[in-house]
Amino acid sequence: MWLSKFRGGGIVAIADTFGMQLFGELDYVREAKNCERFRELYGSWDDVVVPTACTKLTRKKVMVMEWVEGTKGPWKGSDGIDMVRIGLRCSTDQLLKSGLFHADPHRGNLLRTPQGHLAVIDFGMMADIPEGDRYGLIGLVLGLKTKDLALATENLLKLGFLEDTTQVDILVPRLRKALKDATGGTNKASDLSFSQLQVELDAISRDNLLKFKIPPYITIIIRSLTILEGFALDVDPNFRLIRGAYPYVLKQLLSPEGIDETPKALDDLLVRLLTVNGEKKEVEWGRLRDLLVLAEKASKSYDPSKDNDEDKGSVSRKSIDLFLKFLTSNTGLFLKEPLVHELAEAIDGIASMGESNLLRLSRGFVRPLPGGNGPINTKRMEEMKAVVEVLQSALEVDDEDGGEEHQDRAQMAREFAQGGLLLFNDAERRELAAPILAELTSVIQMVAVEVLEIRSSRAIRGILGISA
């Protein structure tokens, strides 16, 4: 029967899910509870309005809710772009942080208030996305994008797309092609069309060669994002939903706000992404650099309607703040040990390069100290250099006409010095910066100790004639 082929035979589960959503909309007591849950999460946001549900007056077939004054979209010009940006940020937070997902963000359920805020109404169609599934979906997309077969496979199994690994070699190339076709052939995540992605996934699920299922909640997420995508295109035909959303995604990944303890699913994903083979022994410097570049684009000046190449973005000093906050937070704690080890190796390598050059220039007259002139990991040093260059680009600013100009380095140095003086003279700033400064001091001390250990060990081996 053709239904057994549609979406990998998961049509019944999908129909059940949508049925629950549809009939759930008719239960106003349930909707009022959803409204209060959503209001508790997002009603305090400066630019989001969530009405209060009058639960005492609400019954199963009658709902009483606070009146919200506003105009329905689409809104043209900069007002429309602002509304879509707020909606994107809110949807990203729902997927990554709260898990309470508004599954019906069409223009009738989103209003622009007279104050320019985004009002969200109608909470009949909501979905609770489990934490592991939320981060698993991000891991899957990143695995496909970076051609990391192991990462993609792990998350395909975790999310329920596959029941075993026997067909991974066939499915992963098909999914990559689906993503490419959904971007119009550019293969840029920033050009992804969710409506086309749904078409591509349906085509894969109808293929008898693959035992592939689309989990029902994935269908709900894609449907919701497709609605929001249509909304954005009405406002600006050049707007790209992913291009607008991924800065917030990455910023939330690297620096989650309002979370006392890093969720295990997020911790597992970051360890898998940012350390080699997920072993917490070596840092994936190239991927860390890419995440830093993209995360900075969450600034308000970033315009998703323009074709900014995600590989050529320069970062501001906000990226340095983000980088330091990440490394000194509980979320980035797993990077401390490999970071110390690799910084120590890099410093030893730089010193060894100097000693080697001095030995060569002096024609063997000036000999290195015991333990000196060790091996140099050129590849790793180049990767670290690339990250340093990204952070150094914080000293580059654009002029008012849009041309790229280098601001006077001395002036920038003075600004940093002034910031340092303010830090020491302002008790509140000192208190805020104390954890970061303490962590940096700790890292510097640990690096110094490890450099001494590396050189001492090499010197002892040299004296005893033991090869490394």
Side-chain angles (χ1 to χ4, degrees):
M1 186 176 177
W2 68 271
L3 278 175
S4 65
K5 300 178 183 179
F6 187 69
R7 295 190 179 175
I11 187 66
V12 174
I14 292 171
D16 286 344
T17 300
F18 275 103
M20 290 174 60
Q21 296 287 330
L22 181 61
F23 286 102
E25 274 205 286
L26 304 178
D27 184 346
Y28 292 128
V29 172
R30 177 176 175 270
E31 181 172 345
K33 290 179 180 178
N34 286 338
C35 177
E36 288 305 292
R37 287 179 64 197
F38 198 86
R39 187 171 184 274
E40 185 178 343
L41 291 167
Y42 301 106
S44 61
W45 283 28
D46 293 337
D47 47 10
V48 174
V49 174
V50 183
T52 302
C54 302
T55 54
K56 291 183 179 180
L57 299 177
T58 296
R59 299 294 181 269
K60 192 167 185 177
K61 295 185 178 181
V62 178
M63 183 170 181
V64 181
M65 181 184 289
E66 176 188 3
W67 178 264
V68 177
E69 193 69 43
T71 56
K72 297 179 181 180
W75 313 279
K76 301 299 180 182
S78 60
D79 288 345
I81 294 295
D82 287 343
M83 292 300 99
V84 173
R85 280 182 178 153
I86 296 170
L88 276 176
R89 186 160 49 86
C90 189
S91 294
T92 300
D93 193 90
Q94 293 166 44
L95 278 174
L96 288 183
K97 188 174 174 183
S98 71
L100 180 62
F101 193 69
H102 194 297
D104 200 20
H106 62 75
R107 65 186 63 186
N109 291 340
L110 301 174
L111 306 175
R112 183 183 185 275
T113 70
Q115 295 76 30
H117 300 160
L118 180 68
V120 184
I121 60 176
D122 192 344
F123 303 93
M125 293 189 70
M126 306 289 289
D128 281 293
I129 311 298
E131 181 181 279
D133 292 338
R134 299 198 303 267
Y135 292 113
L137 186 59
I138 294 170
L140 172 60
V141 173
L142 290 173
L144 293 171
K145 181 68 178 173
T146 59
K147 298 182 179 180
D148 187 331
L149 181 60
L151 180 61
T153 302
E154 288 171 17
N155 288 287
L156 281 170
L157 293 169
K158 185 187 299 181
L159 294 170
F161 283 93
L162 286 176
E163 295 180 358
D164 56 57
T165 60
T166 57
Q167 293 186 310
V168 166
D169 292 342
I170 302 174
L171 180 58
V172 169
R174 291 289 302 275
L175 287 175
R176 284 185 194 152
K177 183 179 184 300
L179 283 175
K180 182 177 181 180
D181 292 345
T183 63
T186 67
N187 210 25
K188 287 185 178 180
S190 55
D191 291 331
L192 182 66
S193 165
F194 283 99
S195 56
Q196 186 59 36
L197 178 61
Q198 183 69 74
V199 172
E200 299 295 333
L201 291 177
D202 286 345
I204 294 175
S205 69
R206 286 194 296 269
D207 192 335
N208 281 332
L209 295 176
L210 293 169
K211 294 179 180 179
F212 170 75
K213 292 184 179 181
I214 302 175
Y217 68 89
I218 298 292
T219 303
I220 290 176
I221 291 174
I222 293 178
R223 174 188 175 275
S224 177
L225 294 178
T226 299
I227 293 172
L228 195 59
E229 181 178 60
F231 203 132
L233 293 175
D234 277 344
V235 174
D236 182 351
N238 295 318
F239 197 97
R240 294 294 178 266
L241 198 68
I242 284 289
R243 191 182 300 157
Y246 66 53
Y248 303 119
V249 172
L250 292 166
K251 188 173 184 180
Q252 185 64 25
L253 284 177
L254 290 180
S255 185
E257 299 174 353
I259 297 178
D260 295 329
E261 185 176 349
T262 305
K264 184 179 185 305
L266 173 57
D267 186 61
D268 291 344
L269 176 60
L270 288 173
V271 169
R272 185 68 182 77
L273 285 174
L274 298 180
T275 63
V276 177
N277 298 324
E279 295 177 352
K280 297 187 181 182
K281 294 180 180 179
E282 297 179 36
V283 180
E284 280 278 12
W285 290 100
R287 197 168 283 169
L288 179 59
R289 173 195 174 278
D290 293 341
L291 292 180
L292 283 172
V293 169
L294 294 175
E296 193 275 335
K297 290 184 178 181
S299 62
K300 291 183 179 179
S301 61
Y302 176 58
D303 189 350
S305 66
K306 295 181 180 178
D307 189 16
N308 298 313
D309 191 323
E310 63 189 29
D311 295 324
K312 296 181 180 178
S314 63
V315 296
S316 70
R317 278 173 288 181
K318 291 179 182 178
S319 289
I320 295 179
D321 293 338
L322 178 67
F323 181 66
L324 291 177
K325 286 178 181 177
F326 172 62
L327 291 180
T328 57
S329 68
N330 289 333
T331 305
L333 190 61
F334 69 91
L335 276 183
K336 183 175 180 179
E337 186 175 334
L339 180 64
V340 166
H341 177 67
E342 295 196 32
L343 284 175
E345 278 195 345
I347 291 172
D348 176 60
I350 292 170
S352 294
M353 288 173 63
E355 291 163 343
S356 177
N357 290 333
L358 185 59
L359 182 64
R360 178 175 51 82
L361 292 173
S362 66
R363 297 184 179 180
F365 181 73
V366 180
R367 307 290 300 177
L369 293 172
N373 199 18
I376 302 168
N377 190 335
T378 306
K379 180 176 180 293
R380 184 64 69 196
M381 291 181 67
E382 287 297 320
E383 291 172 342
M384 295 175 68
K385 180 182 176 183
V387 173
V388 172
E389 288 174 350
V390 168
L391 296 176
Q392 283 180 337
S393 71
L395 301 180
E396 299 176 3
V397 296
D398 295 338
D399 65 14
E400 293 181 356
D401 298 325
E404 293 185 357
E405 298 288 344
H406 292 278
Q407 196 176 61
D408 182 71
R409 296 300 175 99
Q411 175 63 27
M412 295 297 290
R414 282 195 294 271
E415 289 181 12
F416 278 111
Q418 289 171 358
L421 288 175
L422 286 173
L423 179 65
F424 284 105
N425 293 328
D426 189 321
E428 185 176 348
R429 291 193 182 192
R430 283 201 307 273
E431 186 176 351
L432 290 173
I436 293 179
L437 294 175
E439 197 66 35
L440 287 175
T441 302
S442 171
V443 168
I444 291 170
Q445 291 173 342
M446 291 172 70
V447 169
V449 169
E450 185 154 344
V451 170
L452 289 175
E453 288 178 351
I454 290 172
R455 301 213 138 205
S456 299
S457 175
R458 190 185 299 131
I460 293 172
R461 290 197 306 271
I463 293 171
L464 299 177
I466 304 172
S467 59

